[in-house]
Amino acid sequence: MAGIDYVDVRLEDDIEEQAGGWDPLPAGKNIFRITEAKQEKAKSSGNPMLVTTLEVIGNADGSECDSMGRTTIQRYSYKSDKGEKATRFVRGRLKNFLTAAGVKLDARGSFSASQLIGKKIVANVAIQTKEVENTETGKPVKLTSNKIDHEEPYEGEEIDDEEGVEAQGD
C-alpha cells in the first residue's frame, strides 16, 4: 500500500512539461487603466521598484478589443546594479510612465503611488520569449511574457468602466 506521501497522478510519457503562465496579451497599442500601484523591492537585487497592474480597456484607436478586461503587471525600477547610466535609463522609463499617467511629482521628484490608481494611458504591448532552465528538471523551457513600453497620455473620450470604450462621435 502506498504511503501518505505517495502522489498517484499517473503522468504518462506523452504529457508535455509546461512552464506555467498564461497567454500573453497580443502585440499592439492598447488603452490601459492602472488598477494597482505599489512600491516593492526586486527579489533578485533588492532594488526598489514600482509595481503596477494595468487593465486593457480598449485598442489605442478607441475601439473594443478581445483583450478587454485582461491585466498585465509592469515593473518600473528606480535603480540598477549596472551603473549610473543604467540607473538613469530605468528612472527615465519610470518618469515616462508617470508623465503619461499625468502624475505630478513633488519638489523632491517623488510621488504617491495611490495617485496612479484609475489613471489611463496608451502603451505598446510587445511579446518577449526567453529560454530558461526548469529548476526541477534541468531542461530548457520557453517563457513568454509581455513588455509594456512607449507609454503616452490617453487623450481620448471618457471610458465607461462597465462597457469599455464608448463610441466616438455623434
Side-chain angles (χ1 to χ4, degrees), residues 29-88:
K29 275 187 147 181
N30 288 304
I31 304 167
F32 291 92
R33 177 185 301 107
I34 303 164
T35 59
E36 292 182 59
K38 59 188 172 186
Q39 180 175 275
E40 291 184 2
K41 290 191 181 235
K43 291 177 186 171
S44 59
S45 66
N47 289 338
M49 63 181 173
L50 176 69
V51 179
T52 61
T53 302
L54 308 174
E55 177 186 7
V56 177
I57 57 175
N59 283 321
D61 66 4
S63 63
E64 293 187 10
C65 63
D66 292 339
S67 299
M68 286 177 57
R70 291 190 55 197
T71 60
T72 186
I73 295 173
Q74 181 68 21
R75 294 169 176 83
Y76 296 90
S77 298
Y78 309 173
K79 181 180 181 244
S80 172
D81 292 334
K82 297 178 181 174
E84 181 62 26
K85 186 175 181 180
T87 294
R88 292 186 64 77

Side-chain angles (χ1 to χ4, degrees), residues 95-114:
K95 190 171 184 180
N96 182 70
F97 171 71
L98 296 173
T99 301
V103 170
K104 303 293 183 211
L105 301 177
D106 65 18
R108 293 177 26 163
S110 299
F111 64 98
S112 170
S114 63

